[in-house]
Amino acid sequence: MKRQVFNPYLPINEHVPDAEPHIFGDRLYVFGSHDRSGGDTYCELDYVGYSAPIDDLTDWRYEGVIYSADKDPHSTEFVEGAGERKYLYAPDVVKGNDGRYYLYYCLSAWRGKGGFDGPISVAVCDTPTGEYQYYGDVKYDDGTLMKRYIPFDPAVINDEGRIYLYYGWSLSHRYTNDAEDDLKIRMKNMFHKSDAELERDGCSIMGANVVELNEDMLTVKTQPQRIIPGHRLAQGTEFAQHAFFEASSIRKVNNQYYFIYSTQVQHELAYAVSDYPDRDFHFGGVLISNGDIGYNGRKTEDRLANTGTNHGSIICVNEQWYVFYHKNTHLTSYSRQGAAEKITIEEDGTIKQVEMTSCGLNDGALVTDGKYPAVIACNLTDGDMPHNGNGESDTIKPFITHYGNQYFISNIHNNTLIGYKYFLFDKKCRLTITYRGSAKGQLYVMTDDVKAENKMHTNEQSLSEYYFEIMPTPSESWQCSSIDMEVSGVYPLFLVFQGMGTMELLELEWVKF
């Protein structure tokens, strides 16, 4: 069978969100944060490197640990109520004019506390994924740390020798209606800004910003300039419904600058475009949502997965553009996994929102031959999934989890839909599922998204001709069940459970005959 790649594109047990994809030489590198499976906070682990040859995106290689927080002198600083500032947040890497590679990042303490008052730090290495060494902090000529606005989620570009650094943060849409005095108190407590700073900047403290750096990659050459407002100042502008939240990223495409960012609703990545690197950005559109909200008009309440924060960027590999993003596992905000989808930049420069899929970087739909982990599902919902902006969900919902080395979908209950997009069906094939649990009922197998979602909300028995008869299994052992299908063409695969109890799903296996 031809080698394939699916979402998540890295190993199933790996959690590298906040992806910044870059091509250096003949390889595609991904730099990101590093969560733990079933983690208790964001970014618990050290930065690791992954890369793939640009002519084979199925062949991802682990490059090892490239940087650890203990190399930064700020990592021992104590944040009241949150411990040491030792968690490495979303990074970016750029090649300097001297040929070395510079890694920009911010440190934070437990669950984001102390992560908004800087500084932006820099490490350097002679190779993209070698062992980076602490280099210094972004600063002014006099040595004062650059902390104007909110130094968070740095992104950087080498634009024909000129170095531009982007950064910023803003409260999400949940705080849109906060009273002015309440908002100032919140900004003072969260961002540790002085009364003088708040008096000077007020709500404009929140938004996306850019500064130019000198060739030393540390010293600020220009004062920070605002390029996209946060939600409070976005009202009445073209960014009103898609104000800046976090996740700055920058790309130059056909002599235009594309600023990719997470919007005020957190689950979506959007983009803005300008002819200049430091001003005049205009809203372009939404790239992707990790609940498919907005795609083909889908409403927030009909999200197709547990949503959370989003962070990523775009890259062109062999004339094909991709958007990298992340999605949640473990029903928390702290175990995010990277995914990618094909996108198209139209002749006029616009990009249409794309849907989540299971095949992502693959060269076409997945073949109905061989084994697939159940957790590559791109849709997982019971019709009422939560949003975890920061925290854990204590509701009874289907979710991706793990025990030891096994990763599986758990808590599949009545009217749970599990979706895989897309498979290439080649006439007759046999589908075998590996599952366990106390469930009793039917697991319907469908290849039509409309019918599958209707099935999730109804008990009509005539919507599918394929189904597994699920019988109760009181033990924890896995068991297999098979059905034969006769389908030809590229279709999604949906599994909809209807019955009592709960079950877990480990694996799908296809056999052609």
Side-chain angles (χ1 to χ4, degrees):
M1 184 178 72
K2 180 181 177 181
R3 185 165 178 158
Q4 299 183 111
V5 61
F6 38 70
N7 284 326
Y9 55 88
L10 298 182
I12 292 299
N13 64 341
E14 188 64 282
H15 297 262
V16 179
D18 307 326
E20 280 285 358
H22 291 288
I23 293 175
F24 296 125
D26 60 357
R27 297 188 71 84
L28 171 64
Y29 295 83
V30 167
F31 304 93
S33 307
H34 197 189
D35 289 351
R36 179 174 64 86
S37 290
D40 297 317
T41 186
Y42 298 111
C43 313
E44 286 190 54
L45 307 177
D46 295 330
Y47 290 145
V48 292
Y50 276 92
S51 72
I54 58 175
D55 59 356
D56 185 3
L57 298 185
T58 72
D59 188 19
W60 286 91
R61 183 177 75 194
Y62 176 61
E63 305 282 359
V65 174
I66 63 173
Y67 192 64
S68 56
D70 58 12
K71 292 183 177 181
D72 189 315
H74 299 290
S75 65
T76 58
E77 295 173 358
F78 187 83
V79 177
E80 186 176 354
E84 292 180 328
R85 194 194 299 263
K86 62 180 182 180
Y87 301 102
L88 292 160
Y89 272 39
D92 196 10
V93 170
V94 69
K95 189 174 184 178
N97 296 328
D98 60 359
R100 297 195 294 173
Y101 297 85
Y102 292 84
L103 184 151
Y104 290 75
Y105 64 95
C106 293
L107 289 172
S108 181
W110 183 260
R111 297 193 174 183
K113 294 182 179 179
F116 301 115
D117 52 4
I120 295 173
S121 299
V122 188
V124 66
C125 186
D126 291 333
T127 60
T129 51
E131 189 175 344
Y132 283 79
Q133 300 298 325
Y134 175 74
Y135 180 60
D137 305 315
V138 177
K139 56 183 175 46
Y140 294 104
D141 282 329
D142 62 2
T144 304
L145 296 179
M146 196 285 294
K147 293 187 178 182
R148 184 76 187 273
Y149 303 130
I150 305 173
F152 193 80
D153 280 359
V156 64
I157 189 173
N158 185 333
D159 184 21
E160 299 180 3
R162 299 181 72 173
I163 311 299
Y164 292 95
L165 171 68
Y166 300 77
Y167 69 95
W169 198 81
S170 177
L171 291 168
S172 69
H173 66 292
R174 290 180 296 168
Y175 305 100
T176 301
N177 297 319
D178 277 10
E180 195 73 23
D181 289 344
D182 292 338
L183 198 60
K184 286 184 177 180
I185 293 172
R186 189 179 300 278
M187 290 191 294
K188 188 172 183 179
N189 292 338
M190 287 184 67
F191 311 140
H192 304 126
K193 297 297 184 181
S194 66
D195 289 331
E197 288 177 293
L198 291 178
E199 183 68 27
R200 178 190 63 194
D201 296 325
C203 288
S204 69
I205 194 175
M206 296 184 289
N209 319 285
V210 59
V211 297
E212 186 176 356
L213 301 179
N214 284 313
E215 283 202 12
D216 66 359
M217 310 298 281
L218 290 176
T219 308
V220 171
K221 189 175 183 179
T222 61
Q223 288 296 318
Q225 298 184 66
R226 173 62 40 80
I227 58 172
I228 297 178
H231 74 82
R232 195 77 171 196
L233 298 182
Q235 305 308 309
T237 76
E238 60 188 301
F239 294 97
Q241 302 303 315
H242 304 280
F244 178 80
F245 169 54
E246 62 180 12
S248 297
S249 184
I250 188 71
R251 294 291 184 270
K252 192 174 184 180
V253 183
N254 298 327
N255 291 318
Q256 286 192 305
Y257 299 86
Y258 282 66
F259 181 74
I260 296 92
Y261 66 101
S262 176
T263 77
Q264 63 194 55
V265 294
Q266 300 183 326
H267 59 78
E268 66 183 17
L269 291 181
Y271 71 99
V273 184
S274 176
D275 292 328
Y276 308 96
D278 55 0
R279 64 187 186 277
D280 297 342
F281 279 87
H282 296 281
F283 180 70
V286 174
L287 294 168
I288 195 164
S289 157
N290 56 29
D292 273 346
I293 298 168
Y295 182 74
N296 285 343
R298 180 171 296 278
K299 297 180 180 179
T300 301
E301 59 269 24
D302 296 324
R303 58 172 60 89
L304 288 175
N306 164 215
T307 55
T309 61
N310 211 341
H311 192 149
S313 194
I314 61 175
I315 191 74
C316 185
V317 185
N318 291 331
E319 300 184 353
Q320 173 63 60
W321 281 95
Y322 299 92
V323 57
F324 282 68
Y325 66 105
H326 65 239
K327 53 186 182 179
N328 286 0
T329 68
H330 294 75
L331 270 185
T332 80
S333 304
Y334 314 126
S335 296
R336 302 159 295 171
Q337 285 190 311
E341 308 293 351
K342 294 178 181 178
I343 59 173
T344 299
I345 299 182
E346 306 291 346
E347 289 187 6
D348 62 0
T350 60
I351 308 172
K352 294 180 180 179
Q353 181 177 347
V354 294
E355 65 178 336
M356 298 184 295
T357 74
S358 300
C359 45
L361 296 172
N362 201 52
D363 183 18
L366 302 173
V367 298
T368 48
D369 186 17
K371 295 181 179 180
Y372 294 93
V375 296
I376 70 170
C378 54
N379 301 151
L380 180 59
T381 177
D382 63 1
D384 185 26
M385 296 301 285
H387 174 80
N388 297 125
N390 183 4
E392 303 154 304
S393 176
D394 56 3
T395 57
I396 300 175
K397 298 294 175 183
F399 67 105
I400 292 170
T401 188
H402 82 291
Y403 183 79
N405 293 324
Q406 289 187 327
Y407 285 73
F408 50 91
I409 299 175
S410 187
N411 207 18
I412 300 168
H413 54 267
N414 187 46
N415 292 331
T416 293
L417 178 149
I418 307 165
Y420 302 87
K421 298 173 180 175
Y422 289 87
F423 279 105
L424 174 59
F425 291 87
D426 186 14
K427 296 184 179 179
K428 292 183 179 181
C429 57
R430 176 167 294 156
L431 173 61
T432 299
I433 62 169
T434 303
Y435 70 101
R436 67 184 179 190
S438 60
K440 182 177 181 180
Q442 288 78 38
L443 184 66
Y444 291 89
V445 181
M446 313 179 76
T447 57
D448 183 288
D449 53 353
V450 175
K451 289 183 178 180
E453 286 197 60
N454 287 340
K455 183 67 175 173
M456 185 173 58
H457 297 292
T458 69
N459 289 313
E460 296 180 26
Q461 299 299 307
S462 60
L463 293 178
S464 174
E465 59 180 300
Y466 302 112
Y467 66 89
F468 294 95
E469 191 73 33
I470 303 299
M471 301 301 293
T473 54
S475 72
E476 294 184 358
S477 61
W478 295 102
Q479 64 175 325
C480 296
S481 185
S482 302
I483 59 169
D484 293 340
M485 302 177 65
E486 189 168 355
V487 181
S488 183
V490 174
Y491 294 98
L493 175 77
F494 294 101
L495 306 177
V496 180
F497 175 68
Q498 290 189 333
M500 301 181 66
T502 62
M503 62 181 290
E504 296 176 329
L505 186 63
L506 177 68
E507 190 174 73
L508 310 179
E509 182 175 9
W510 297 96
V511 177
K512 293 183 179 181
F513 63 91

